[in-house]
Amino acid sequence: MIPAVRGTRDILPGEVERWQFVEDTARRVFERYGYAELRTPIIEREELFAKSTGETTDIVQKEMYAFTDKGGERVALRPEATPSIVRAFIEHNLEQAMAVPKLYLYGPMFRHERPQKGRYRQFHQLDVEVFGVEDASIDAEVLDLGWALIGELGIRGAEMVVNSVGCPACRPAFSDALVAALGEDVRRLCGDCQRRATSNPLRIFDCKVAEDQPIIDRLPHSIDYLCGPCRAHFDEVRRYLGLYAIPYRVSHRLVRGLDYYRRTTFEVLATGLGAQNALLGGGRYDGLVKQLGGLDRAGIGFAAGIERLVLALPAEVQYGTARPEVFVAALGDDARQAAFVLLRDLRRAGVHAQVDYEARSLKAQFKRADRLGAPLVLVLGDDEMARGEVTAKDMTTGAQEAVPRAEAIGYCRARRVP
Ligand code: HAM
């Protein structure tokens, strides 16, 4: 047996219904908010991610599935969707094509991380992005959309966390303040953090090393270093969150592990998922479109991890019952043939119908109908054939009645719970 690659998973019947529920709900909610789907390739030029996700991020430095293809080109399996969507936005001039470009994408992403509960090497994101709007009302819409998704999925106990990481005008002062506040303590931090202190001090907030936390907890907060426009924007976002009655907490630790963020950052955290508790995360990335060769356009979005949404769904809810509505049973060769025609007619008429493919005893067929959870069995035997009828047996009450063959489909439909 050749097992699946570490960090990848098969989604089998039984679990896949939960995925379908998440996918269907997301599409419904996104489209209601005016987002249109786009699909981009899983493979991109490696430099796309180096230039956007960021050279100094863990994703690009350590986790990317990047390789040289047979033509000698450096390519990567996408570790996230935002750079691809920005690329497509520029490449196809979507600004011209759409009044307000509001897009969503659903598909697999790849990061070579250490697998654990809620963290995989191939995982799936639902990603939404909006371009060209600087007003805080769009931050509010995007946050509200994330919150609506969690609500419509029935996920309980989730928490919205927000922050503002400022812009190129105010960030340098904050970075300096971080380095100054660390002072000599920088040498007591882990090797990664010591490197971050020189390359990108904000990244220190991503550190998960337990011994570093007391030092990190004492560091200054980005919202105390915002320039006037960034402060006004953040205040606006918070005012909208108040108007929308979305409960939230401001966390100065929320700088996010990707380089392109400016101003608003946010995550929705789940309770009970352990360390990998971010159901979704995102923020504003004004400047990225220009950086990737487009016009100077604002951008904001988030991505939710399907695996984590599925884990966070309420355990007691049954998703998508694949139970047949009717089981067709037959005894005798002629009846069997007629049964398969009836089965086909039922299915063509939109009724979920099942059968026993091997010509086994009636008892065995009923056992199978029971196992499949069919609430109704239509029996065809010699007597029924002679009378042009089927015998309908209600599997819950045990009641039986004769139904003319020509009325069998209508009979099954009429029994449907609306
Ligand atoms: P991210 O925080 O790296 O952001 O990922 C977003 C979500 O994807 C996480 O909150 C988590 O649910 C899921 N996720 C990430 N890595 C894994 C993994 N290894 N296994 C399972 N799930 C995972 C981004 O990717 C940004 N592109 C979000 C964004 C969109 N920002 C602006 N627009």
Side-chain angles (χ1 to χ4, degrees), residues 4 30 48 66 80 127 146-148 175 194 226 295 301 310 312 327 370 373 375 407 411 414:
F30 292 169
L48 176 68
E80 56 144 341
D127 185 296
W147 195 242
S175 291
Q194 297 197 15
L226 298 179
L295 298 168
V310 166
F327 188 94
D370 201 41
E407 288 166 26
Y411 179 85

Coordinates of all heavy atoms in Angstrom, one line a residue, residues 4 30 48 66 80 127 146-148 175 194 226 295 301 310 312 327 370 373 375 407 411 414:
A4 N -1.1 8.0 1.6 CA -1.1 9.4 1.1 C 0.1 10.2 1.7 O 0.7 9.8 2.7 CB -2.4 10.1 1.7
F30 N -21.5 34.6 0.3 CA -20.6 35.5 -0.5 C -21.4 36.1 -1.7 O -21.3 37.3 -2.0 CB -19.4 34.7 -1.2 CG -18.4 34.2 -0.1 CD1 -17.4 33.3 -0.5 CD2 -18.5 34.6 1.2 CE1 -16.5 32.8 0.4 CE2 -17.6 34.1 2.1 CZ -16.6 33.2 1.8
L48 N 6.1 35.5 -7.5 CA 4.8 36.2 -7.2 C 4.7 36.2 -5.6 O 4.3 37.2 -5.1 CB 3.6 35.4 -7.8 CG 2.3 36.0 -7.4 CD1 2.0 37.4 -8.0 CD2 1.2 35.0 -7.9
A66 N 8.2 24.9 -3.6 CA 8.7 25.6 -4.8 C 9.8 24.7 -5.5 O 10.5 24.0 -4.8 CB 9.4 26.9 -4.4
E80 N -1.1 30.5 -0.6 CA -2.3 31.3 -0.2 C -2.8 31.9 -1.5 O -2.1 31.8 -2.6 CB -1.8 32.5 0.7 CG -0.7 33.3 0.2 CD -0.9 34.8 0.6 OE1 -2.0 35.2 1.0 OE2 0.1 35.5 0.5
D127 N -11.5 32.2 0.0 CA -10.8 33.5 0.1 C -11.7 34.6 -0.6 O -12.2 34.4 -1.7 CB -9.5 33.4 -0.6 CG -8.6 34.7 -0.5 OD1 -9.0 35.7 -1.0 OD2 -7.5 34.5 0.1
G146 N -17.2 37.8 7.0 CA -16.5 36.7 7.8 C -17.3 36.3 9.0 O -17.5 35.1 9.2
W147 N -17.9 37.3 9.7 CA -18.7 37.0 10.9 C -20.0 36.3 10.5 O -20.5 35.4 11.1 CB -18.9 38.3 11.6 CG -19.4 38.1 13.0 CD1 -20.6 38.6 13.5 CD2 -18.7 37.5 14.1 NE1 -20.7 38.2 14.8 CE2 -19.6 37.5 15.2 CE3 -17.5 36.8 14.2 CZ2 -19.2 37.0 16.5 CZ3 -17.2 36.3 15.5 CH2 -18.0 36.3 16.6
A148 N -20.6 36.8 9.4 CA -21.8 36.2 8.9 C -21.6 34.7 8.5 O -22.4 33.8 8.7 CB -22.4 37.0 7.7
S175 N 8.3 50.2 14.3 CA 9.4 49.2 14.3 C 10.6 49.7 15.2 O 11.1 48.9 15.9 CB 9.9 49.0 12.9 OG 8.9 48.4 12.1
Q194 N 15.6 36.9 17.0 CA 16.7 37.8 16.9 C 16.9 38.2 15.5 O 17.3 39.4 15.2 CB 18.0 37.0 17.4 CG 17.8 36.7 18.9 CD 19.1 36.3 19.6 OE1 20.2 36.6 19.0 NE2 19.0 35.7 20.7
L226 N 0.0 54.8 15.4 CA -0.7 55.1 14.1 C -0.6 56.6 13.8 O -0.7 57.5 14.7 CB -2.1 54.7 14.2 CG -2.4 53.2 14.4 CD1 -3.9 53.0 14.4 CD2 -1.8 52.3 13.3
L295 N -2.1 49.3 -11.0 CA -2.3 50.7 -10.6 C -2.3 50.8 -9.1 O -2.4 49.7 -8.4 CB -3.6 51.3 -11.2 CG -3.6 51.3 -12.7 CD1 -5.1 51.5 -13.2 CD2 -2.7 52.4 -13.3
G301 N -9.2 41.7 2.2 CA -9.9 40.4 2.1 C -9.6 39.5 3.3 O -8.9 40.0 4.3
V310 N -14.8 23.0 9.3 CA -15.5 21.7 9.4 C -15.3 21.2 10.8 O -16.2 20.7 11.4 CB -14.9 20.7 8.3 CG1 -15.3 19.3 8.7 CG2 -15.4 21.1 6.9
A312 N -15.0 22.9 13.4 CA -15.7 23.7 14.4 C -17.2 23.6 14.3 O -17.9 24.2 15.1 CB -15.2 25.2 14.2
F327 N -36.8 2.2 -1.7 CA -36.0 1.1 -2.1 C -36.9 0.2 -2.9 O -38.1 -0.1 -2.5 CB -35.5 0.3 -0.8 CG -34.6 -0.8 -1.1 CD1 -33.2 -0.6 -1.1 CD2 -35.0 -2.1 -1.4 CE1 -32.3 -1.6 -1.3 CE2 -34.1 -3.1 -1.7 CZ -32.7 -2.8 -1.6
D370 N -33.4 -1.5 5.0 CA -33.3 -1.0 6.3 C -31.9 -0.4 6.6 O -31.8 0.6 7.2 CB -33.6 -2.3 7.3 CG -34.0 -1.8 8.6 OD1 -34.8 -0.9 8.7 OD2 -33.5 -2.3 9.6
G373 N -31.6 2.9 5.3 CA -32.5 3.8 5.9 C -33.6 4.3 5.0 O -34.1 5.4 5.2
P375 N -37.2 4.9 3.9 CA -38.4 4.9 4.6 C -39.6 4.1 3.9 O -40.6 3.9 4.5 CB -38.8 6.4 4.7 CG -38.1 7.0 3.5 CD -36.9 6.2 3.2
E407 N -49.0 4.7 -11.0 CA -49.0 5.8 -10.0 C -47.9 5.8 -9.0 O -47.8 6.5 -8.0 CB -50.4 5.7 -9.2 CG -51.6 6.2 -10.1 CD -52.9 5.8 -9.5 OE1 -53.0 5.7 -8.2 OE2 -53.9 5.6 -10.2
Y411 N -46.9 8.5 -6.1 CA -47.1 8.0 -4.7 C -45.8 8.3 -3.9 O -45.9 8.8 -2.8 CB -47.3 6.5 -4.7 CG -47.5 5.9 -3.4 CD1 -48.8 5.9 -2.8 CD2 -46.4 5.3 -2.7 CE1 -48.9 5.3 -1.5 CE2 -46.6 4.7 -1.5 CZ -47.8 4.7 -0.9 OH -48.0 4.2 0.4
A414 N -45.6 12.1 -3.4 CA -46.6 12.6 -2.4 C -46.2 12.4 -1.0 O -46.6 13.1 -0.1 CB -47.9 12.0 -2.7

